[in-house]
Amino acid sequence: MAATEILNRVDVVKAPQVHPTPQTEKSSLIGLVREDMAKLLVERGVPERQVKMRVSQLWHWLYVRGVSEFDQMSNVSKDMREMLKEHFTIARPEIVEEQISNDGTRKWLLRFPPRGAGRPVEIETVYIPEEGRGTLCISSQVGCTLTCSFCHTGTQKLVRNLTAEEILAQLLLARDRLGDFPERDTPQGAIVPAEGRKITNIVMMGMGEPLYNFEAVKTALLIASDGDGLSLSKRRITLSTSGIVPEIYRTGEEIGVMLAISLHAVRDDLRDMLVPINKKYPLKELMDACRAYPGLSNARRITFEYVMLKDVNDSLEDARELVKLLKGIPAKINLIPFNPWPGTNYQCSDWEQIEKFADFINQAGYASPIRTPRGRDILAACGQLKSESERMRKVDRLAFEAMMIANHGED
């Protein structure tokens, strides 16, 4: 698609620049569990008899009301607000660019400040509105350690893990931009409706392998699903992994969200090539971990992602082997038409072949939706997220696309 055509079809919004306070100067309260927030407040002189109440106030303002400035906390004393401003931050990341597709998909390029001796880093977050739901695709790392051969994101090497704060900040900022927090003048204690939210589902399917950043992802998702705050149902949160088997067990036991597996092949030799982590955790180990995932049922199925690559993994024999591989696992198979990117050697399967593949799986009793391409006019296509963040010895990394995800979590 020509650049001029893209510009004709896309609204590019240069959002107001927000420059967060450097993390070396102030600690962020976002992404802290209550116990850690309480410790910081005690260190700054808050009497221990007040700490539980103060943490409850801050939690409400951060995660129910979505404020990004301490002065907006109207029921917190002025002295307390001044202390908070002096020592802490709740600022959002900088929005470098916001793009809005003609199908309603939004993509934000976000910049986080440097940590230690590093540079500022950039990641992309994507929002996909659908009838009756809205899904936010969140990144867990800058770059990726995996080198899946069909995935453009994998061509950007890992820069660093995101913190729990930075993972959560993507959700907070998206709700800001979509008007998904209650009005600032909503009375304290008023019941904030759960219905009518623009963001109903989140998926950990952006840049990076979330299970290689387990602790930060765990903290962020437990805060996102906390009933006294952001209050997203764990059935509406999906974590996608390429198959880090030990952490799959931990995810089920310690986080309890929905699971998605980037499968893409039904034989070890082919998956070794497409998803090289398979060499460490082959299909049998991966399927055993899936079968042992807590709470599996027809209402809590594992989603298997399967990108359709022409003459590589799209034959009816592949479909037969896929059904055998998943036997006994409550599952849904998302078929993803491949989105080519510059330099790739793969092609998307013919549409007729994708439909034949889907029909075979459906007849075997598995739901197999073919993912509708979304946000292509803003280069927001599945598996192609890549940012401009640089490693210290690298220069001129180009940003291309952001990941698009749909059909995950409870409807």
Side-chain angles (χ1 to χ4, degrees), residues 3-40:
T4 53
E5 184 180 354
I6 293 175
L7 290 174
N8 287 336
R9 296 173 58 195
V10 183
D11 295 323
V12 179
V13 180
K14 289 291 185 179
Q17 300 298 292
V18 179
H19 298 280
T21 305
Q23 296 297 305
T24 53
E25 296 180 8
K26 296 183 182 182
S27 298
S28 178
L29 295 182
I30 296 169
L32 296 178
V33 297
R34 288 179 176 84
E35 292 78 7
D36 290 340
M37 191 181 293
K39 288 177 185 177
L40 288 180

Side-chain angles (χ1 to χ4, degrees), residues 39-54:
K39 288 177 185 177
L40 288 180
L41 294 182
V42 170
E43 289 173 4
R44 294 302 175 185
V46 176
E48 290 199 17
R49 67 181 181 275
Q50 295 182 13
V51 165
K52 184 175 181 180
M53 180 267 289
R54 294 302 188 189

Side-chain angles (χ1 to χ4, degrees), residues 6 8 32 51 55 80 87 90 94 98 162 201 212 257 298 325-326 406:
I6 293 175
N8 287 336
L32 296 178
V51 165
V55 168
M80 177 79 173
H87 298 291
I90 53 174
E94 176 186 349
E98 178 180 45
L162 294 179
N201 295 57
Y212 275 152
V257 295
N298 286 332
L325 186 69
L326 301 184

Side-chain angles (χ1 to χ4, degrees), residues 64-83:
V64 176
R65 304 293 287 277
V67 304
S68 57
E69 297 177 11
F70 290 114
D71 282 336
Q72 295 172 320
M73 299 180 176
S74 58
N75 67 340
V76 176
S77 69
K78 184 176 180 181
D79 288 346
M80 177 79 173
R81 294 200 305 267
E82 291 302 318
M83 182 277 288

Side-chain angles (χ1 to χ4, degrees), residues 252-317:
E253 293 167 359
E254 300 178 30
I255 310 178
V257 295
M258 305 295 281
L259 184 67
I261 303 293
S262 294
L263 187 63
H264 311 305
V266 295
R267 306 186 314 274
D268 279 321
D269 59 342
L270 179 57
R271 196 165 190 267
D272 286 350
M273 179 177 67
L274 296 179
V275 188
I277 194 66
N278 192 73
K279 297 174 185 176
K280 187 172 184 179
Y281 303 112
L283 283 169
K284 183 182 184 308
E285 292 183 27
L286 178 58
M287 292 302 108
D288 286 346
C290 289
R291 289 186 174 89
Y293 198 74
L296 280 187
S297 67
N298 286 332
R300 288 180 60 85
R301 297 173 292 177
I302 293 176
T303 298
F304 289 89
E305 307 286 350
Y306 199 93
V307 65
M308 300 299 294
L309 302 171
K310 186 174 183 178
D311 299 329
V312 175
N313 66 351
D314 63 349
S315 70
L316 290 184
E317 182 58 31

Side-chain angles (χ1 to χ4, degrees), residues 1 6 8-13 98-108 126-129 373-381 404:
M1 183 182 296
I6 293 175
N8 287 336
R9 296 173 58 195
V10 183
D11 295 323
V12 179
V13 180
E98 178 180 45
Q99 291 180 278
I100 306 172
S101 166
N102 56 17
D103 65 16
T105 299
R106 294 184 181 226
K107 181 174 72 172
W108 295 279
V126 178
Y127 170 69
I128 308 103
R374 299 293 302 275
R376 279 185 166 174
D377 53 328
I378 58 171
L379 302 176
M404 179 283 297

Side-chain angles (χ1 to χ4, degrees), residues 60 90 94-95 107 111 126 130 137 139 167 176 180 194 197 206 209 215 218 278 322 341:
H60 176 87
I90 53 174
E94 176 186 349
I95 302 175
K107 181 174 72 172
R111 180 176 295 145
V126 178
E130 301 172 89
C137 180
S139 294
I167 294 168
D176 282 345
D180 212 18
R197 285 183 174 176
E209 166 55 64
E215 292 300 334
K218 172 186 172 180
N278 192 73
L322 179 58
W341 43 270

